Amino acid sequence: MRNRILALAALAAIGSPLAAQAQSGVTVGRAPVVVDSGPTIAVEQRPAFRDYVVEQRVPAFRIQDRIVVGTTLPEAGVTYYDVPQRFGATTYRYTVVNGETVLVEPRSRRIVEVLN
């Protein structure tokens, strides 16, 4: 028992990185990992999906912001459409903004993928 206490004290004295990380809550040198909740359209299905969007003549919307993943679209003025089952089961919706077809998380209106 005494040896275990001495070993723990020695680890604390030398500043174990694990102990420091646990105490400070800061991780140095690593970016946060973001995991999206739903599957997107498979890469091999994307050309057919782009053709589908063109065939549907979905009206394009214009916004001032750049179209990038993470952008939140406006609450009003943008219409979102269901992705047909043949392109895979997805919880996302799609729309066309500034000439780009995008997948959007419907509750937050956040762009999760730009389909070029």
Side-chain angles (χ1 to χ4, degrees):
M1 180 72 168
R2 183 174 175 211
N3 288 340
R4 179 177 276 171
I5 293 171
L6 290 175
L8 289 174
L11 281 175
I14 62 171
S16 167
L18 182 59
Q21 183 178 355
Q23 290 175 356
S24 69
V26 175
T27 302
V28 178
R30 293 187 186 162
V33 175
V34 177
V35 177
D36 288 318
S37 61
T40 63
I41 297 171
V43 173
E44 60 273 2
Q45 289 282 341
R46 291 179 187 180
F49 181 70
R50 279 187 229 104
D51 291 344
Y52 168 80
V53 173
V54 170
E55 290 170 7
Q56 296 303 304
R57 297 183 181 202
V58 172
F61 297 92
R62 269 308 297 141
I63 63 171
Q64 295 297 319
D65 296 332
R66 283 186 33 200
I67 303 303
V68 295
V69 172
T71 298
T72 300
L73 296 176
E75 190 169 349
V78 179
T79 303
Y80 305 99
Y81 303 91
D82 291 332
V83 175
Q85 281 286 320
R86 69 178 184 236
F87 297 110
T90 180
T91 58
Y92 301 127
R93 305 292 183 264
Y94 77 93
T95 193
V96 178
V97 182
N98 297 356
E100 303 277 352
T101 301
V102 296
L103 291 180
V104 178
E105 199 289 314
R107 289 188 181 143
S108 67
R109 302 174 325 279
R110 184 178 61 88
I111 296 174
V112 295
E113 190 159 359
V114 179
L115 301 168
N116 295 331

